[in-house]
Amino acid sequence: MTSATAGDYGWIRASSSLFRYALEAGYTLTLVRGVSPAELLRAAGAEPRGVCDGLDELIEQHQELIYASDDWAESVLAGACTVQGEGGDWTLALVFGGDLGSLRLMEALSAGTRAVSHASNGGKPMDFFHWYENGELRTTFEWAANRTGSTPDELNGVMREVGLNPTGDPAPDIDRKAAVFALADRLTGVRVTEELLMEAAYLTGEVPEEPAEEWESITIDITDAHGERTYVQLRRDQL
């Protein structure tokens, strides 16, 4: 296991860093051991778009995909490349403004191996981390103190070392996003640097967005400051 901490990933906030685009637009960064870029994109149902050289070109292709959409893009652009990590080759996949798809896909990609991903939805304060092992979601969280998964507490020690607090509020001087990068580094042995992202040759593909699930009703469940509870379930035809 590496010794990465949040301090090793301060570059993601630098004004000169192209990763600032990912933080503003939203991104998902996925690392899977022993699965090739082509295999990963094929599993995601991506339509091949060839190879682009470097992060600049990947961003340009993402913007072209957005501008070509009249309203809402029905697919997202994924760029995947081979990187070195613990135990050999890993695939790094980077998606702007979306993700690779469903929980089922991540379970399939991690069958017999390990997969780690983290994401942000851009300007809104929602950031996620997922660790899969042998097809099982082991630890996942938005806030470090609110974890789920089959082994939600297994990473607690490592989380403290990288700068995350698994039992309370994060330290005010720690960049949570940088700490999540460091946690992924610890689990994969892949040191993601600005140079790596800038210079990589990305195999690209358009990954279709999953259709929204049909719903029949919504539930409103609110308890006010006086302990009064309001619980209402409304069918689709009542709205």
Side-chain angles (χ1 to χ4, degrees):
M1 185 175 286
T2 70
S3 59
T5 66
D8 294 306
Y9 285 93
W11 62 266
I12 65 173
R13 304 286 187 185
S15 59
S16 61
S17 172
L18 279 179
F19 200 79
R20 287 176 63 87
Y21 176 85
L23 295 174
E24 293 167 0
Y27 80 93
T28 301
L29 192 154
T30 301
L31 293 159
V32 186
R33 181 173 56 205
V35 174
S36 72
E39 290 170 333
L40 184 148
L41 293 176
R42 187 162 53 248
E47 179 181 344
R49 286 187 52 144
V51 177
C52 68
D53 294 322
L55 190 59
D56 282 300
E57 189 171 333
L58 187 64
I59 290 173
E60 288 176 8
Q61 289 197 17
H62 170 252
Q63 292 175 333
E64 289 171 2
L65 185 62
I66 292 175
Y67 296 150
S69 304
D70 294 331
D71 184 13
W72 183 263
E74 296 182 353
S75 60
V76 294
L77 180 69
C81 63
T82 300
V83 293
Q84 292 300 305
E86 182 181 313
D89 288 346
W90 291 66
T91 285
L92 181 154
L94 184 58
V95 177
F96 298 120
D99 56 38
L100 283 173
S102 66
L103 169 66
R104 187 177 303 167
L105 171 64
M106 294 303 295
E107 290 174 344
L109 287 173
S110 65
T113 188
R114 172 175 290 183
V116 175
S117 71
H118 51 88
S120 171
N121 66 339
K124 300 177 183 178
M126 295 177 66
D127 300 275
F128 301 97
F129 174 88
H130 311 289
W131 164 39
Y132 294 84
E133 196 84 20
N134 297 319
E136 180 179 62
L137 179 56
R138 298 285 295 275
T139 303
T140 180
F141 60 85
E142 180 182 357
W143 295 93
N146 298 303
R147 302 171 306 284
T148 57
S150 63
T151 58
D153 298 330
E154 186 169 344
L155 300 180
N156 286 9
V158 181
M159 291 170 71
R160 291 187 181 93
E161 291 176 7
V162 301
L164 295 168
N165 184 356
T167 58
D169 293 334
D173 59 337
I174 295 294
D175 183 336
R176 280 197 308 123
K177 179 58 67 178
V180 164
F181 264 86
L183 182 59
D185 189 321
R186 294 283 189 109
L187 286 169
T188 64
V190 176
R191 178 61 54 92
V192 178
T193 64
E194 185 169 18
E195 290 74 21
L196 185 153
L197 296 179
M198 288 285 291
E199 298 173 5
Y202 296 95
L203 185 64
T204 64
E206 287 187 39
V207 180
E209 289 274 29
E210 288 193 285
E213 294 183 3
E214 289 293 327
W215 57 276
E216 297 300 328
S217 66
I218 62 170
T219 299
I220 301 172
D221 189 354
I222 302 172
T223 301
D224 66 20
H226 304 289
E228 294 290 333
R229 185 185 185 198
T230 300
Y231 181 91
V232 180
Q233 189 170 49
L234 300 172
R235 300 188 310 273
R236 182 196 293 266
D237 60 4
Q238 293 176 298
L239 297 174

